[in-house]
Amino acid sequence: MAQKPPRRSFGKGFQRTSTLVERQIRKAGETRGFATSRLLTHWAEIVGPDMASIARPVNVSYARSGMGATLTVLTTGAQAPMLEMQKDKLRERVNACYGYQAISKIRITQTAPSGFAEGAAQFGAAPKPRETRPDPAATEAARQSAAPVSDPDLRAALERLGANVLGPQKSP
């Protein structure tokens, strides 16, 4: 029976997670024109939390002639005029990240707040839903309506549904 060669160690122990996925992130970023992934990974630090909550970088394209690239930024339709007024400030911050005048133009692309994979714009943290307590009268009415159901799980689900339907209506 042939012996297996001794197992070789390729690393020196533990590695940072960032070094393990750095190659894949760089490859994905380069397909979009980002020479360094720092602009993508540290967007909120570079442009500030106020701009990061309304916009995100999508693409960097380089012109055939001339200096500088065009940064395409994705935002919702309502925030586009606000971002348009802050283009110069945004360009300064992004160029400070690169260390030279890498970006000469900024193009703003608008999208709906929800949509397909690329158009799904969620920039900031979603607001937490308000916690409301069900109306005791509605809960009791729902419990009495679901009482004839023999399955306990189904009965509990019907009680919750009934309490939500019979309870106070939320205003939009």
Side-chain angles (χ1 to χ4, degrees):
M1 194 188 261
Q3 288 184 338
K4 292 183 181 178
R7 185 172 171 218
R8 292 186 339 163
S9 175
F10 292 102
K12 295 181 181 179
F14 292 105
Q15 293 181 346
R16 289 177 140 177
T17 306
S18 63
T19 60
L20 297 174
V21 295
E22 182 178 6
R23 203 173 308 130
Q24 290 86 358
I25 291 173
R26 181 181 297 132
K27 184 178 177 183
E30 287 174 353
T31 61
R32 295 293 183 119
F34 294 99
T36 61
S37 61
R38 183 169 175 3
L39 186 64
L40 295 172
T41 57
H42 294 84
W43 178 249
E45 294 173 12
I46 293 168
V47 299
D50 53 339
M51 276 195 225
S53 66
I54 63 171
R56 71 175 178 187
V58 176
N59 191 5
V60 175
S61 58
Y62 298 92
R64 292 184 185 188
S65 62
M67 296 294 290
T70 302
L71 171 66
T72 303
V73 178
L74 181 68
T75 187
T76 58
Q79 298 295 335
M82 298 298 292
L83 196 60
E84 182 72 33
M85 290 187 294
Q86 297 178 353
K87 266 186 177 179
D88 293 331
K89 185 177 175 184
L90 180 63
R91 184 173 42 246
E92 287 174 13
R93 289 181 178 182
V94 170
N95 285 333
C97 167
Y98 280 108
Y100 65 99
Q101 295 297 318
I103 305 297
S104 61
K105 296 178 187 173
I106 294 181
R107 181 174 49 191
I108 298 173
T109 303
Q110 298 177 23
T111 185
S114 63
F116 295 103
E118 197 58 39
Q122 291 189 359
F123 303 111
K128 294 181 181 179
R130 291 189 302 170
E131 192 173 312
T132 58
R133 295 184 180 211
D135 183 24
T139 304
E140 186 58 36
R143 186 173 292 128
Q144 290 175 358
S145 297
V149 177
S150 60
D151 184 23
D153 292 334
L154 179 60
R155 185 178 336 110
L158 288 172
E159 287 174 6
R160 286 192 308 271
L161 176 65
N164 287 333
V165 170
L166 297 174
Q169 298 297 321
K170 296 178 185 174
S171 59

